Amino acid sequence: MTRPINEDGYELWLRYRRIANAEVLKRCRRQLTSIVPLGERSPGSSVLANATLAAAVAELRVGLSGLLGRDLPLGDDPSRAGALLVGRSGAAEFEEFQRPSGPAGAPLDAPGKDGFWITRSLQEPSRIAISGASDAGVLYGAFQLLRLLQTGDDLGAVSQAGAPRLALRVLNHWDNLDRTVERGYAGFSLWDWQKLPDHRDPRYTEYARACASLGINGSVLTNVNANSLVLTDPWIEKVAALAEVFRPYGLKVYLTARFSAPIEIDGLATADPQDPDVRDWWRRRVDGIYRKIPDFGGFVVKANSEGQPGPQNYGRSHAEGANLLADALAEHGGVLMWRAFVYDHEVPDDRAKQAFDEFTPLDGSFRSNVLVQVKNGPIDFMPREPHHPLFGAMPKTPLLLELQLTQEYLGCATHLAYLAPMFKECLDTDTGAAGPGSTVARVIDGSLHGHELTGMCAVTNIGTDRNWCGHPFAAANWYAFGRLAWDPALSSQAIAEEWLRMTFSNDTRFVQGAAQIMLDSREAVVDYMTPLGLHHQMAVSHHYGPGPWVSEGRPDWTSTYYHRADAQGIGFDRTASGSAAVAQYFEPLRSQYGKLETCPEPLLLWFHHVSWDHELASGKSLWEELCQAYQRGVDAVRTFQRGWAALEQWVDEARFAHVSDLLRIQEQEARWWRDACVQYFQTFSRRPLPVGYEPASKSLEELRALRHYYVPGINNPYVARTAKPKKASPRSEKRS
Amino acid sequence: MTRPINEDGYELWLRYRRIANAEVLKRCRRQLTSIVPLGERSPGSSVLANATLAAAVAELRVGLSGLLGRDLPLGDDPSRAGALLVGRSGAAEFEEFQRPSGPAGAPLDAPGKDGFWITRSLQEPSRIAISGASDAGVLYGAFQLLRLLQTGDDLGAVSQAGAPRLALRVLNHWDNLDRTVERGYAGFSLWDWQKLPDHRDPRYTEYARACASLGINGSVLTNVNANSLVLTDPWIEKVAALAEVFRPYGLKVYLTARFSAPIEIDGLATADPQDPDVRDWWRRRVDGIYRKIPDFGGFVVKANSEGQPGPQNYGRSHAEGANLLADALAEHGGVLMWRAFVYDHEVPDDRAKQAFDEFTPLDGSFRSNVLVQVKNGPIDFMPREPHHPLFGAMPKTPLLLELQLTQEYLGCATHLAYLAPMFKECLDTDTGAAGPGSTVARVIDGSLHGHELTGMCAVTNIGTDRNWCGHPFAAANWYAFGRLAWDPALSSQAIAEEWLRMTFSNDTRFVQGAAQIMLDSREAVVDYMTPLGLHHQMAVSHHYGPGPWVSEGRPDWTSTYYHRADAQGIGFDRTASGSAAVAQYFEPLRSQYGKLETCPEPLLLWFHHVSWDHELASGKSLWEELCQAYQRGVDAVRTFQRGWAALEQWVDEARFAHVSDLLRIQEQEARWWRDACVQYFQTFSRRPLPVGYEPASKSLEELRALRHYYVPGINNPYVARTAKPKKASPRSEKRS
């Protein structure tokens, strides 16, 4: 078997290579002989007038031609054998196509907004129709049909309907206007502001295509630590150019709004939400944006958090702040996503409690076009957290789940960490808010409390790296987010296998081997970074590598605040005897988490301060289990290395080497985490390492002395040891 | 004729598309039937032991297979018809190959270090040999043969020798360790420090290949505004990994050395070059570098300039500073490039004079492994400057010519500006230093004053943009630099045509049309930015757009310091009645430039303050000529737009649209320059615009009020209008 030719990952999961299985290929070639677009044509032309339908047809043309290994022509005879009909579901040509049947043979009905059917003709089964409830639905159906073929289906029995479970499926780019990306590990921002609006990089279109292929329908272009400049006219022109590129793909643009923008842009004296001039300013500014971008999505706001300005600067609540902007957006149909990730500049007894305490009293006081945007866990995108207690606790308010794809706390773009299992862990958790079955998924899909405005968003891991996300496996997280936002019920394994088949190979041996690595990968990171419920143990500021000893500065930004290790034991007591954060959860979780005996071990040290000698389910002491978890994490990475090596024949040399290189780095860094944490915690436990434990290659002192500069994703300069007196500052006019 | 398929520019001039001319293709296929590598094989293998020879053969294999449109096999029979022999010139197999003949039929001899021959067998003319005086010579010969085929030659009469005229042919990357690039307009730094040394981006190899294809043999990886961190061990490991990738391509790595590094890295009390501890520190540090990188090239130093530390901080001369580092490098064969771009923190009467005044007294006091690195002109990479008066004025010191490919002052990466004519203008200038014929080229190639250590370097325009240099035409400047460093006698036109043929198409109509645009482009920039010898009129700090009104801050960083416009006239008097900078030039230029009547009009306002009514050669007044020059610049860009539009059929859609977009921006910005400068200067001249002059679309007030934020290439933040009191700084530990 010859090795596949080199790829650089740019095509993501939309590679459309010829179907490898000769039998399947033959059947598909017979099945598909022409594409017949249904819909209004542009005057005097055969091109579809609707840009979204045109994009769907173009994608099918390119995709099917690639998959079939020969040009698939456009046709105009919908009754011809092998015709693939494509259009809005109202078209008369679709009448003879059967609707797909449900599990019990019952007909499946219209799948709702932006849904699609892929069905076969009752009269001539070689004819297939993709019909959509909307233009976007047609596009999503087109991508679904392509996905079926890409993953090995021959369409012999195709009959299905699909529709997104959530209304808003949004990517958040933490991109700054200078093209740096906060927590970006895959190069720099895609948005080349300097050349916009005049030059539109073809990559913008590729980005929109990839998003549409997953059903993602919104893109927040700018960092939540916002810059008001983007709201000024010259920048809105640039944003409008991106919106125009994205529009055919059903992708709306959103911006982050800095609460103090009226002051910064136009010199207003205040940004108080009750000030009439301020209300007027936002209304005019938003009107101006919609004049340029009629389908502008809306704003995301981070306010009164980590130094960002907000309504509390003026003694107003988060609801008053949110409603100010929501009112300005409402008449244009825009939505406002107000982040619940807030914490006071005064250090609380437990940071985990703050969002809940601040937001639950506001339930019911937000405008109907506001979503409160809540991270999956109460701290901050840790490798493992319990679900955020706000889920289920604000029944009158739509909650938007915020996930993080960029691996701020999971090894940047150098560690292989497939995050779907982490996302699923949150989505599938039963909050108990309205009795059994009150899962986070049902909170955010609106079914639990009856909301129409629903959504999921994720901080992207996308940058200018040729393969988009840095690590060749990191695009799987973009993919998984899109698929879960479409349907939170999909399994991690199914998503991983889809992605692997589309990204690498349909060979079952490859798919099984690689999926195993993916499915085990997040737990490995938990093990070598923060096992048993530990959290927030990374180095200061850039969060790269271990820093369990970090104890200086604001307490709730330190590691010692979170691990609380002492001679007796380790862990954050969040029971009634401690911060009582556990009381924010509904029963039965409240009791389960609150008792040492019933608390799940993966969350043990999140909720309890536990004695080093406490016996765990295995019969081993906490100390032994802790040491073994760190070692297990390292061993897992070595297993990934061996597993990957065994897959060499199915992967091109370039991507194979890239992953191998990064796994080598991951193995080094897993050891670094293990050696730093175990040796550091040993200074408290004063207990020996378990028998057979792999010796550390560096002492604790050596590891503590390591300094890392210019870690991507944050401005992190090297500070010269000896400050020299400076000449008159040359930085503003350096010529070199 | 069908349109060529889309390209993204990544392949640069090494595309190796099948030869389009059927006759030529047929002849070449007959001419070349196997590649026969001569040289030692790795034990038990057919792979050449020498990595550079192996790279040459690999390049020929890929290149010729592409050009011939069929796989060209490796062979082992050098006597077979159609064999292409490749190896070091000593090989016995080369004996029967004739040496190329000189113009008068005389045999051409060994071309010297790193030279090559491409010759035909006397016995069987279908056999061709590429032989090199060194491994690198073989590689350069391979690229030359490929270039011949790429530009339409059928090798029917090939017989040539080639060798670089300069020893050091070096690219300077102004890349910071956080991957920002000072004056970088094509994305960010190629060097992904975070993943080095473990992961080596395949792009590093592509970079080295492209450099080698031009004979470039050195790469300074870091910004001249240096960061001492790169000299520490963990970073040298990273640098060593790059050096290893570059090595087979004959490309050495260099670093910039921060003069205060001993203080910053190891806490020494001083960086005084006379301090024994400091001397010892540099020696040990350099030894450490060579242990990791045995062929390390050496250092570039910017000292006592724009706030950079240097020997003058300790009352020592530039020579003492340079010799400190040169001594440490000497025993390893390293060289030191010490920049002459210095100016004092005290404002001089004329900045143009400073380098000359500072360096000429030091002639003869530098170590033999030092080159003084001199920019082409005495100010700073302006669209037009006279040559730097140091050329010819330091006969005992090797001078390295420093050019700038990144368009800091010529429209960033959005303006089409082919710079070879600018470089040639400098190289071909007769300094008069040792009588007629003392061109800058002869100063730097060592022939004028008998130096062996010679070189040329250039600040690159390379970044992470897919097409490397941002503007699809900007790679022509990388190409032109490499070709001129190889042979300063090449013409701008010949280089442009080569590049066009290799980058786009061999069709003569295309080549002629596109070459005309390229050859006119730099003069157009001069016209719409700084005609008639004006200079340094750009906006503050980022240098993007016009700023003739800039008058605040350090005087020699303002525009008014340089244009000196008043009611009488405009221009910088550098004659005896002014700063007397003209006295730094040798005769006859000194007199020619010094007199208003004989000064070339393109340099008029560089050397003279000239009355608005002064009559120029055209019979028109200075004011009229000035206005018309600005208009001519705008018109030229419109001519480029029309010219490019006419070339559509020969260019793929993607690159065609990209260039069209950027020309549209260039036309807008040319008008911006014209309208800003003419209206501003009119406030002094108080004279009407010439009849028929195109009206400005914005008033001077509007143009002066424009602000540009986040211009690439410099940290240039948006400053909020109203400074708000900040909460306890959250920046160091922001989580978002």
mmCIF file of all heavy atoms in Angstrom, chain A residues 552-569:
data_model
loop_
_atom_site.group_PDB
_atom_site.id
_atom_site.type_symbol
_atom_site.label_atom_id
_atom_site.label_comp_id
_atom_site.label_asym_id
_atom_site.label_seq_id
_atom_site.Cartn_x
_atom_site.Cartn_y
_atom_site.Cartn_z
ATOM 1 N N GLU A 552 1.615 34.184 45.029
ATOM 2 C CA GLU A 552 1.698 35.643 45.162
ATOM 3 C C GLU A 552 0.638 36.332 44.317
ATOM 4 O O GLU A 552 0.180 35.799 43.307
ATOM 5 C CB GLU A 552 3.090 36.122 44.768
ATOM 6 C CG GLU A 552 4.104 35.787 45.849
ATOM 7 C CD GLU A 552 5.497 36.303 45.540
ATOM 8 O OE1 GLU A 552 5.634 37.183 44.662
ATOM 9 O OE2 GLU A 552 6.444 35.802 46.165
ATOM 10 N N GLY A 553 0.317 37.517 44.714
ATOM 11 C CA GLY A 553 -0.669 38.290 43.978
ATOM 12 C C GLY A 553 -2.060 38.021 44.515
ATOM 13 O O GLY A 553 -2.238 37.444 45.598
ATOM 14 N N ARG A 554 -3.034 38.435 43.763
ATOM 15 C CA ARG A 554 -4.435 38.292 44.175
ATOM 16 C C ARG A 554 -4.732 36.837 44.531
ATOM 17 O O ARG A 554 -4.520 35.933 43.700
ATOM 18 C CB ARG A 554 -5.295 38.765 43.006
ATOM 19 C CG ARG A 554 -6.770 38.754 43.316
ATOM 20 C CD ARG A 554 -7.593 39.228 42.127
ATOM 21 N NE ARG A 554 -8.934 38.713 42.349
ATOM 22 C CZ ARG A 554 -10.060 39.386 42.181
ATOM 23 N NH1 ARG A 554 -10.015 40.612 41.722
ATOM 24 N NH2 ARG A 554 -11.225 38.832 42.446
ATOM 25 N N PRO A 555 -5.227 36.562 45.727
ATOM 26 C CA PRO A 555 -5.346 35.172 46.193
ATOM 27 C C PRO A 555 -6.116 34.273 45.228
ATOM 28 O O PRO A 555 -5.677 33.139 44.969
ATOM 29 C CB PRO A 555 -6.071 35.304 47.534
ATOM 30 C CG PRO A 555 -5.696 36.665 48.028
ATOM 31 C CD PRO A 555 -5.580 37.525 46.804
ATOM 32 N N ASP A 556 -7.246 34.738 44.702
ATOM 33 C CA ASP A 556 -8.014 33.807 43.869
ATOM 34 C C ASP A 556 -7.451 33.699 42.453
ATOM 35 O O ASP A 556 -8.104 33.171 41.561
ATOM 36 C CB ASP A 556 -9.509 34.151 43.870
ATOM 37 C CG ASP A 556 -9.796 35.554 43.378
ATOM 38 O OD1 ASP A 556 -8.844 36.367 43.301
ATOM 39 O OD2 ASP A 556 -10.965 35.858 43.079
ATOM 40 N N TRP A 557 -6.259 34.237 42.241
ATOM 41 C CA TRP A 557 -5.521 33.959 41.003
ATOM 42 C C TRP A 557 -4.311 33.060 41.276
ATOM 43 O O TRP A 557 -3.488 32.851 40.411
ATOM 44 C CB TRP A 557 -5.055 35.269 40.340
ATOM 45 C CG TRP A 557 -6.162 36.034 39.674
ATOM 46 C CD1 TRP A 557 -7.413 35.589 39.402
ATOM 47 C CD2 TRP A 557 -6.105 37.384 39.195
ATOM 48 N NE1 TRP A 557 -8.150 36.575 38.789
ATOM 49 C CE2 TRP A 557 -7.379 37.681 38.648
ATOM 50 C CE3 TRP A 557 -5.112 38.376 39.166
ATOM 51 C CZ2 TRP A 557 -7.682 38.930 38.081
ATOM 52 C CZ3 TRP A 557 -5.418 39.615 38.604
ATOM 53 C CH2 TRP A 557 -6.690 39.892 38.068
ATOM 54 N N THR A 558 -4.190 32.587 42.496
ATOM 55 C CA THR A 558 -3.039 31.740 42.835
ATOM 56 C C THR A 558 -3.442 30.261 42.821
ATOM 57 O O THR A 558 -4.631 29.924 42.833
ATOM 58 C CB THR A 558 -2.506 32.058 44.247
ATOM 59 O OG1 THR A 558 -3.511 31.697 45.205
ATOM 60 C CG2 THR A 558 -2.152 33.535 44.394
ATOM 61 N N SER A 559 -2.448 29.410 42.808
ATOM 62 C CA SER A 559 -2.707 27.969 42.867
ATOM 63 C C SER A 559 -2.987 27.520 44.292
ATOM 64 O O SER A 559 -3.818 26.626 44.522
ATOM 65 C CB SER A 559 -1.496 27.209 42.327
ATOM 66 O OG SER A 559 -1.221 27.603 41.010
ATOM 67 N N THR A 560 -2.288 28.125 45.250
ATOM 68 C CA THR A 560 -2.451 27.688 46.643
ATOM 69 C C THR A 560 -3.867 27.952 47.147
ATOM 70 O O THR A 560 -4.386 27.202 47.979
ATOM 71 C CB THR A 560 -1.425 28.395 47.548
ATOM 72 O OG1 THR A 560 -1.510 29.809 47.328
ATOM 73 C CG2 THR A 560 -0.014 27.939 47.227
ATOM 74 N N TYR A 561 -4.484 29.019 46.631
ATOM 75 C CA TYR A 561 -5.886 29.320 46.974
ATOM 76 C C TYR A 561 -6.772 28.136 46.626
ATOM 77 O O TYR A 561 -7.748 27.856 47.316
ATOM 78 C CB TYR A 561 -6.303 30.558 46.191
ATOM 79 C CG TYR A 561 -7.756 30.994 46.286
ATOM 80 C CD1 TYR A 561 -8.159 31.941 47.241
ATOM 81 C CD2 TYR A 561 -8.713 30.513 45.391
ATOM 82 C CE1 TYR A 561 -9.484 32.375 47.301
ATOM 83 C CE2 TYR A 561 -10.034 30.944 45.450
ATOM 84 C CZ TYR A 561 -10.415 31.879 46.407
ATOM 85 O OH TYR A 561 -11.715 32.313 46.448
ATOM 86 N N TYR A 562 -6.421 27.437 45.527
ATOM 87 C CA TYR A 562 -7.296 26.376 45.040
ATOM 88 C C TYR A 562 -6.945 24.993 45.580
ATOM 89 O O TYR A 562 -7.815 24.170 45.769
ATOM 90 C CB TYR A 562 -7.337 26.370 43.505
ATOM 91 C CG TYR A 562 -8.047 27.607 42.970
ATOM 92 C CD1 TYR A 562 -7.335 28.694 42.486
ATOM 93 C CD2 TYR A 562 -9.440 27.678 43.011
ATOM 94 C CE1 TYR A 562 -7.993 29.832 42.037
ATOM 95 C CE2 TYR A 562 -10.106 28.823 42.569
ATOM 96 C CZ TYR A 562 -9.370 29.898 42.076
ATOM 97 O OH TYR A 562 -10.024 31.021 41.647
ATOM 98 N N HIS A 563 -5.645 24.714 45.791
ATOM 99 C CA HIS A 563 -5.348 23.344 46.246
ATOM 100 C C HIS A 563 -5.343 23.227 47.776
ATOM 101 O O HIS A 563 -5.629 22.173 48.318
ATOM 102 C CB HIS A 563 -4.057 22.810 45.628
ATOM 103 C CG HIS A 563 -2.798 23.481 46.071
ATOM 104 N ND1 HIS A 563 -2.345 23.472 47.358
ATOM 105 C CD2 HIS A 563 -1.867 24.180 45.354
ATOM 106 C CE1 HIS A 563 -1.197 24.136 47.430
ATOM 107 N NE2 HIS A 563 -0.889 24.595 46.223
ATOM 108 N N ARG A 564 -4.969 24.324 48.466
ATOM 109 C CA ARG A 564 -5.034 24.364 49.938
ATOM 110 C C ARG A 564 -4.317 23.191 50.620
ATOM 111 O O ARG A 564 -4.761 22.674 51.659
ATOM 112 C CB ARG A 564 -6.490 24.439 50.410
ATOM 113 C CG ARG A 564 -7.229 25.528 49.662
ATOM 114 C CD ARG A 564 -8.382 26.139 50.376
ATOM 115 N NE ARG A 564 -8.725 27.376 49.646
ATOM 116 C CZ ARG A 564 -9.519 28.319 50.121
ATOM 117 N NH1 ARG A 564 -10.055 28.205 51.305
ATOM 118 N NH2 ARG A 564 -9.764 29.404 49.406
ATOM 119 N N ALA A 565 -3.231 22.743 50.002
ATOM 120 C CA ALA A 565 -2.491 21.620 50.593
ATOM 121 C C ALA A 565 -1.873 22.024 51.921
ATOM 122 O O ALA A 565 -1.393 23.153 52.086
ATOM 123 C CB ALA A 565 -1.403 21.152 49.626
ATOM 124 N N ASP A 566 -1.907 21.121 52.853
ATOM 125 C CA ASP A 566 -1.232 21.319 54.137
ATOM 126 C C ASP A 566 -0.783 19.948 54.652
ATOM 127 O O ASP A 566 -0.902 18.950 53.932
ATOM 128 C CB ASP A 566 -2.138 22.058 55.133
ATOM 129 C CG ASP A 566 -3.467 21.337 55.358
ATOM 130 O OD1 ASP A 566 -3.519 20.089 55.200
ATOM 131 O OD2 ASP A 566 -4.455 22.014 55.678
ATOM 132 N N ALA A 567 -0.299 19.912 55.855
ATOM 133 C CA ALA A 567 0.249 18.657 56.378
ATOM 134 C C ALA A 567 -0.821 17.577 56.485
ATOM 135 O O ALA A 567 -0.542 16.388 56.366
ATOM 136 C CB ALA A 567 0.891 18.907 57.749
ATOM 137 N N GLN A 568 -2.081 18.002 56.668
ATOM 138 C CA GLN A 568 -3.165 17.023 56.825
ATOM 139 C C GLN A 568 -3.655 16.475 55.482
ATOM 140 O O GLN A 568 -3.938 15.293 55.352
ATOM 141 C CB GLN A 568 -4.363 17.661 57.559
ATOM 142 C CG GLN A 568 -4.210 17.744 59.061
ATOM 143 C CD GLN A 568 -3.109 18.711 59.472
ATOM 144 O OE1 GLN A 568 -3.085 19.877 59.042
ATOM 145 N NE2 GLN A 568 -2.149 18.245 60.259
ATOM 146 N N GLY A 569 -3.790 17.363 54.533
ATOM 147 C CA GLY A 569 -4.383 16.903 53.280
ATOM 148 C C GLY A 569 -4.422 17.993 52.219
ATOM 149 O O GLY A 569 -3.648 18.957 52.277
#
